[in-house]
Amino acid sequence: MTSADAGAGRGAHAVAPDGPRHTTVQVAAGGCGHGWTHPVAGRQVFDLHNTSGTPAEVRLTDPRTGAVYGEVEGLGPGTTRPLRATLGNGTYAFTCLPADADAVTGPTVRISGDNSVRSGPAAVPVTQQELIPPTLAYQQWIQTRTVELARRTDVLRAAVDRADLAAARAAWLPAHLVYERMGAAYGTFGDADAEINGTTAGLADGVRDPEFAGFHRVEYGLWHGESASSLRGPADRLAEAVHALRRSWPDQRMDPADIGLRAHEILENTVQFALTGRTDYGSGTDLATARANLDGTRALLGRLRPLLRTRTAGPAGIDTWMNRAQHTLDAFDHDGRWTPLARLTRAQREKVNADLGELVERLADVAALTDVRRTA
């Protein structure tokens, strides 16, 4: 019998066809982490088997610091799911968090004597309290943007009022881009978001629907030959919504638990909507929107960065990919006249999609690192 066969016979270890060592680990209030009796360094898989009668979260942690190397959520009773990790020298323990019961940390396991393997990334979970300062700082940044937004929107409305549609088209994009930089706050804006930046999605009559409002309603009219008189109402309605947002924002409160997720969602929405042309109503400025969304992501990350640095060297490659995406998008800005998506070559379109898509994947790590986790 080989050593691998011997381990399998004890029900603790086995070497699967895919290469990594597998260890079956028990998940239960009275047996969290039991089964990991022969720790080794290297890439490996823990087959977490829930022997209890309730769902549970399971984390592989450093018991000294609380840093998490991996986790499985929603492990149902009687089910088994894998947790993959690369472990070097150090101390480890499984923490089981059954639904409606206290957290239980299993026995500490030590790996030593193998300096050839470095442990995979781990991070100490953040608390709601730690997320409050960056959230407040970001809220203040948004407050400043609302003042700028109101000022630029007033310029747009004034141009429409005096029937200078060329000036209105020139004023539309600078005003719209201010709003597009504020993406992490959209959820807090409530109904104001639809009034300021709504689309025709879900509207029975499309661009003719009376509920179609905001920047995109004005955009449609400016680039589809509508008269100044027909645009005064939409421009007034837009400006009123913007000023109402500016007045109400100091009384709003963003949820600190959501702020890391928003850092990922801004550009996720960019890829889903702007880069597919779904939010273009005639101006051909979706690439400018993407660039503004990138600015908004930078603004939020800047406020989260001190918190991230205390837990990790930083999600790998984010700054590199942020700069790469910015360089790619800036190539389509010709003194404020942006290349429309439809005029990109296939190679250009593929590069834009690849750079923004990769950045979105990297930003998912920020959402994971700032996810407020249950601790007891």
Side-chain angles (χ1 to χ4, degrees), residues 1-254:
M1 179 181 292
T2 66
S3 59
D5 292 333
R10 288 192 298 270
H13 302 283
V15 177
D18 61 357
R21 171 185 289 262
H22 283 244
T23 303
T24 300
V25 173
Q26 182 180 348
V27 176
C32 180
H34 289 189
W36 191 14
T37 55
H38 296 78
V40 294
R43 186 167 61 95
Q44 51 200 288
V45 179
F46 297 98
D47 296 309
L48 307 178
H49 180 58
N50 188 351
T51 60
S52 73
T54 60
E57 293 181 34
V58 189
R59 298 176 194 151
L60 176 58
T61 69
D62 180 339
R64 298 170 304 173
T65 65
V68 177
Y69 287 89
E71 61 185 347
V72 169
E73 298 179 343
L75 182 63
T79 62
T80 302
R81 286 168 57 189
L83 186 155
R84 295 174 174 81
T86 299
L87 304 179
N89 292 341
T91 56
Y92 306 93
F94 282 97
T95 297
C96 302
L97 299 98
D100 302 321
D102 292 339
V104 177
T105 298
T108 296
V109 172
R110 180 178 296 277
I111 296 175
S112 60
D114 188 342
N115 296 320
S116 65
V117 179
R118 184 175 180 179
S119 296
V124 177
V126 302
T127 66
Q128 181 103 348
Q129 192 69 24
E130 288 173 309
L131 287 169
I132 290 175
T135 303
L136 292 176
Y138 182 74
Q139 285 184 191
Q140 184 58 49
W141 184 82
I142 289 291
Q143 176 63 29
T144 303
R145 302 286 78 71
T146 64
V147 174
E148 181 185 3
L149 178 65
R151 177 175 58 81
R152 290 191 179 274
T153 304
D154 285 345
V155 173
L156 170 61
R157 175 169 58 176
V160 173
D161 283 346
R162 66 176 184 269
D164 188 345
L165 296 187
R169 282 189 288 272
W172 181 87
L173 183 59
H176 184 237
L177 295 185
V178 175
Y179 190 79
E180 289 290 346
R181 295 185 184 101
M182 300 160 65
Y186 289 172
T188 310
F189 291 166
D191 293 341
D193 182 47
E195 296 170 355
I196 295 172
N197 209 40
T199 68
T200 56
L203 300 182
D205 294 327
V207 295
R208 302 301 177 191
D209 197 293
E211 294 301 314
F212 183 32
F215 277 112
H216 292 303
R217 170 63 185 91
V218 175
E219 175 190 10
Y220 180 83
L222 287 173
W223 275 272
H224 286 85
E226 288 191 28
S227 66
S229 60
S230 69
L231 282 172
R232 287 193 180 103
D236 286 345
R237 185 176 172 186
L238 168 61
E240 289 167 3
V242 165
H243 280 274
L245 176 64
R246 180 185 61 79
R247 291 190 299 270
S248 67
W249 181 250
D251 297 325
Q252 302 302 312
R253 295 293 178 267
M254 296 181 66

Side-chain angles (χ1 to χ4, degrees), residues 284 287-288 325-341 343-345 347-353 355:
L287 292 174
Q326 179 175 327
H327 182 267
T328 297
L329 292 172
D330 283 348
F332 305 111
D333 177 10
H334 309 287
D335 295 325
R337 297 176 64 87
W338 286 79
T339 304
L341 278 175
R343 295 184 187 173
L344 298 185
T345 66
Q348 289 173 327
R349 187 67 174 264
E350 288 175 347
K351 181 169 177 54
V352 170
N353 290 344
D355 288 354

